Amino acid sequence: MTPSWRGPLDGRLLALAVATGVLLFPSLWQALQAQAAGADELALNYGWASTVEHLANLWLIALLAASRRPGSTLLALLLAACLLYLGVAALVVPGDPGSWGPWGGAIAIAGGAAYLAVTLSALRRAPPPPTG
């Protein structure tokens, strides 16, 4: 009997999840340090703490999307949408506090497109659901 948490992983999505974690970690760490310092308005309103939580959730979603469990396809598509949105936002307001800037925005858009491409290709390869 195999435990429910042990199952096949999608290698391509797992590789993207690891890359996502590596690329999100510097922003997460910077936000954590800014919140701990408490020196600006964002820290006083717990904006940096919110950023830490959101970035950690994005990475967790990336890991769960690689699990091939029910709902993992939806998680991968939602993650792709989030990364595309955050990439565009970083390009539009590159100078705002916490913005990833133009390079970070471009990388986020590329990551969102990669998640979208991998997820859609897996959907095309999946066998059709049984009928009747």
Side-chain angles (χ1 to χ4, degrees), residues 9 12 20 27-28 32 37 40 43-44 50 53 59 61-62 89 100 102-103 119 125 127-128 132:
L9 293 175
R12 297 179 302 164
T20 300
S27 293
L28 189 147
L32 184 64
D40 62 359
L44 295 175
S50 177
E53 179 264 331
W59 186 52
I61 290 168
W100 294 337
W103 283 105
T119 305
R125 289 182 297 150

Side-chain angles (χ1 to χ4, degrees), residues 21-39:
V22 167
L23 292 171
L24 287 178
F25 185 76
S27 293
L28 189 147
W29 185 253
Q30 179 185 22
L32 184 64
Q33 294 298 316
Q35 183 63 50

Side-chain angles (χ1 to χ4, degrees), residues 63-74:
L63 291 172
L64 290 173
S67 70
R68 289 191 189 172
R69 305 288 299 160
S72 63
T73 301
L74 179 60

